[in-house]
Amino acid sequence: MLSVIVFLPVVVAAAITVLPARLGTRCFAGAWVATGLAQLVLVAVVWSALPGTGYGAVERVEWIPSAGISYHLGVDGLSLPLLALVAVVFTAAAMYTLRGVDRPKSYVLLFLALQAVSAGLFVALDLILFFLFFDLSIVFMYFVIAGWGTGAPARRAALTFFLYTFLGSLALLLGFILLALAADRPSFDIPTLAQQNPLGGGGTYAALTLLAIGIGLAVKTPVFPFHTWLPPAHTEAPAAGSAILAGILLKMGTYGFVRIAMPLLPATWRQFAMVVVVVGVVSVIWGALVALAQTDLKRMIAYTSINHMGYVLLGLGAAGMVAGSGEQARQLATAGATYQMVSHGLITAALFLLAGSLHERGHTYAIDAYGGLATRTPRFAGLFAVAAFASLGLPGFSGFIAEFQIFTGALGAAPVATVIAVTGVLLTAAVFLLVMGRMLAGPVRVPDGPGTPRPFADLSVSELLAIVPLLAGATVLGLAPRVVLDVIEPAARVLNDFLAR
C-alpha cells in the first residue's frame, strides 16, 4: 500500500508526459488534484489499519544486501500525520493551480515528482532511502523556483537554495555512513539501528555523527544560523512552491530529528540537548524579530516559519534534557513538537497561497502597497485573519495545542529557555496584528491606487477550494486534537523509551 501511495504521482506523471502540452492548465492540474485526492484516500485506509504500537503497512525488499541497504517502508504515529499532510497540502496546491499557470505540463510534472519524493521520505525506514528522497526533493524544488520564479533573482535564489541544502545533505550522508559503520554489521536499516543502539555509549565518534546529521537536518529545517537560504527562496518561488516548501520540505528536517537523530543517538542527544534547546530558542526570537522588521509579506511569513520551527527544536531538546525522569513532560514535549510540524504545515501553506493571490492582483508583496482590503476583498481579508490568528497560536487552532504542549513539557527541564521562547509568541502576535492593521483596515489602498479602472478581485473559487480546507484542518485540530494525538502519543512513547536508554 505504501509503495502505491509513494509512486502513484509518478505513474500519473508518466501518463501526463504522453499528452500534448496544448491541453492547458485545467487538464494537467485536474489530474494532479485527482492524484492528491486518491493519495488522501489511501492514507486514510493506512490510518484506519495502523497498529497500536510499532510500524504499520511495512514493506521490505533487499536492495543492496552487501551494504546493508534495503527498500524498507513503514509508518507509525510520528510519520503517518506527516504523510497525510503531504496529501492535503499538495492537493491544495493542485487546486490553487487550476486558476492558471505558465507551462502547466512541465509545472505539474515537477510537482508530481516532488509529491512522490515527499511521501517517500516520511515512510522510509532505511537511511539511504531517506537520503535519496531528501536529495531528490532539493533537485525538484530547485527547478520549481528557477523555472517559475521571476527572472534572474529567482535563479539566484534557486541556486542559493540548492547549494545550501545540498551541502547539508552531504553532511547528512556522512552522518548516515558513520552511523551504519558503527553497527556490528554495517546496516542502514533504521529499526535495526534503533534496536542495536551501536553508539549508545556516546563519545567523540557519536558526537561527530550527531554533528553531521544535525547540520544536515538543521539546514533543511532551517534554524539559525543556517536559515539564510529561506527568505529569498520563498520570495522568488511561485505561490504553490512556497506552500510546499514551507508546508512539507521544512518538515523533512524536523522529522529527521525524531526519526533518526533522537532514537539512533540517544545518549549523545541527551548530552547535547541543551545545545538543541538554545538553537531552538534563538531561532524563535530571531525569526520573530526579523519578521517584525519586514516590509515584504512573503519574507515576513518566511521568517515566522523559522520562528515556529524553533519551537519544534525547543520541544525535542527539552525531551532529551528530561530523558532520565519526568516521563509526562517528555511525552508532552515530543508529542507537541510533532503536532507543531503538522499544524505549521497547514497554516503556513495557507498563508503563502493567500500571499500568492495578493501578488497575482497587485504584482507586489510590499505590505504598505495594500490597505482597506477588508472592504475591497472581504473573502481574502477574512481568510488572512483566520490564518494569522492560527499562526500566532490563538486557542481554538492547532498551533495553540502544539505550543501549549511544548511549553508545558519544556518548562521543568529548561525554565529560562522556555520563558524566553514564550515571548516569541508575543512577538509573532505583534507581527500579524500589525500586518492585519496595515493591510486589512483603513482606507482602501491597492498598488494602482483607489478608483483606478484596474480590477482587484476577491478570491476565486479555486483559490477558496485550496485555502479553506487548510484552515479548516487547522481549526479541527485545534478543537479536536485527539484525532491526531491518539496516533502521535503511542509513537512518541516508543521514541522516548529509545531516548531514555
Side-chain angles (χ1 to χ4, degrees), residues 342-501:
V342 179
S343 169
H344 180 263
L346 293 170
I347 297 167
T348 305
L351 279 168
F352 276 117
L353 293 182
L354 284 164
S357 299
L358 197 65
H359 187 271
E360 180 69 21
R361 291 155 176 79
H363 304 291
T364 178
Y365 291 114
I367 294 170
D368 287 340
Y370 304 93
L373 295 180
T375 54
R376 186 72 174 263
T377 55
R379 292 196 292 268
F380 170 86
L383 290 179
F384 188 85
V386 171
F389 285 127
S391 187
L392 62 86
L394 203 69
F397 294 104
S398 54
F400 173 78
I401 303 294
E403 289 167 15
F404 177 78
Q405 289 188 104
I406 291 171
F407 293 147
T408 306
L411 189 60
V416 175
T418 305
V419 170
I420 294 173
V422 169
T423 62
V425 177
L426 298 177
L427 291 171
T428 308
V431 169
F432 280 107
L433 291 175
L434 285 172
V435 169
M436 282 195 292
R438 290 157 69 181
M439 293 179 55
L440 307 185
V444 174
R445 186 174 63 255
V446 293
D448 282 347
T452 64
R454 183 162 167 271
F456 199 88
D458 207 344
L459 295 179
S460 65
V461 173
S462 63
E463 289 168 331
L464 290 171
L465 289 174
I467 297 164
V468 169
L470 295 173
L471 296 179
T475 306
V476 168
L477 295 187
L479 297 174
R482 297 309 318 175
V483 174
V484 174
L485 284 178
D486 283 346
V487 174
I488 291 176
E489 286 177 351
R493 274 194 289 274
V494 174
L495 170 63
N496 288 328
D497 289 342
F498 282 127
L499 187 59
R501 292 176 294 177

Side-chain angles (χ1 to χ4, degrees), residues 71-100:
Y71 175 80
H72 194 181
L73 306 182
V75 288
D76 63 0
L78 299 177
S79 55
L80 190 52
L82 293 167
L83 182 62
L85 183 70
V86 168
V88 170
V89 174
F90 271 93
T91 304
M95 196 69 76
Y96 185 86
T97 303
L98 284 170
R99 62 209 286 277

Side-chain angles (χ1 to χ4, degrees), residues 317-334:
M321 293 179 68
V322 294
S325 59
E327 183 178 345
Q328 187 177 9
R330 200 162 63 234
Q331 177 75 9
L332 282 168
T334 50

Side-chain angles (χ1 to χ4, degrees), residues 205-240:
Y205 186 95
L208 290 174
T209 304
L210 180 60
L211 178 65
I213 293 174
I215 289 175
L217 298 175
V219 171
K220 194 68 174 275
T221 297
V223 293
F224 183 91
F226 304 107
H227 65 284
T228 52
W229 63 266
L230 184 69
H234 271 307
T235 303
E236 301 303 333

